[in-house]
Amino acid sequence: MSFDEEWSAARATAAANVSMRLNHVPVEPGGGGGGDLELNQDHIGAIGTEAYKLHSRLQTDGRHAATATGEAAGALTKESFASGAALLKLNTTWESQVKTLVAACANISNGLNYSVKSHAMDEQQLHADFTTSAIDKYLK
């Protein structure tokens, strides 16, 4: 079987199995429902804590071999081994990748902390707005 024939057969099989399903929240009597966005501060806090721990560990554990690797690269280069330059390049690349991971963990931790604080402030503002609005008077 040629590639074109195999590709046509695969497309036909995929097209025959296509269906659509829309996810939705079941309709509850009286309106409302459980489809609202829920921000669980305990879960968000736990994720942020783990991101911070990983950030702290990466700063130290991710660089524990940097000095020894640099010394080995220097010694190999001094003895005219090509692997010295390769080891130095490897060490430089590793350091760059560790810095990227550390920054990513910091962004995750800080972003989650900001989200939790921002959500709490938005909730307070909405509550204050509704309790002082004319709508609140009519709902009572």
Side-chain angles (χ1 to χ4, degrees):
M1 180 183 283
S2 72
F3 173 78
D4 290 332
E5 292 171 336
E6 190 175 345
W7 181 246
S8 294
R11 285 192 327 208
T13 303
N17 293 329
V18 171
S19 64
M20 185 186 316
R21 186 185 97 217
L22 296 176
N23 291 332
H24 66 280
V25 175
V27 177
E28 293 181 12
D36 292 335
L37 176 63
E38 181 180 331
L39 181 64
N40 186 323
Q41 293 187 359
D42 291 337
H43 292 156
I44 298 288
I47 294 168
T49 298
E50 291 304 316
Y52 179 75
K53 287 179 188 175
L54 184 57
H55 172 268
S56 299
R57 296 252 345 250
L58 276 172
Q59 284 186 313
T60 55
D61 295 348
R63 295 187 175 106
H64 75 275
T67 303
T69 304
E71 290 172 359
L76 288 168
T77 302
K78 183 179 176 185
E79 297 296 326
S80 301
F81 285 102
S83 58
L87 188 58
L88 185 60
K89 183 177 179 180
L90 172 88
N91 192 38
T92 302
T93 302
W94 175 260
E95 286 289 318
S96 172
Q97 291 175 347
V98 167
K99 286 178 186 175
T100 301
L101 284 173
V102 167
C105 288
N107 284 338
I108 291 168
S109 180
N110 292 340
L112 291 173
N113 287 339
Y114 173 79
S115 295
V116 168
K117 288 177 187 173
S118 175
H119 178 74
M121 290 185 340
D122 289 346
E123 286 290 319
Q124 287 174 353
Q125 185 62 44
L126 285 171
H127 181 37
D129 290 347
F130 277 120
T131 56
T132 60
S133 74
I135 294 173
D136 188 55
K137 293 174 190 169
Y138 291 113
L139 291 175
K140 289 183 180 181

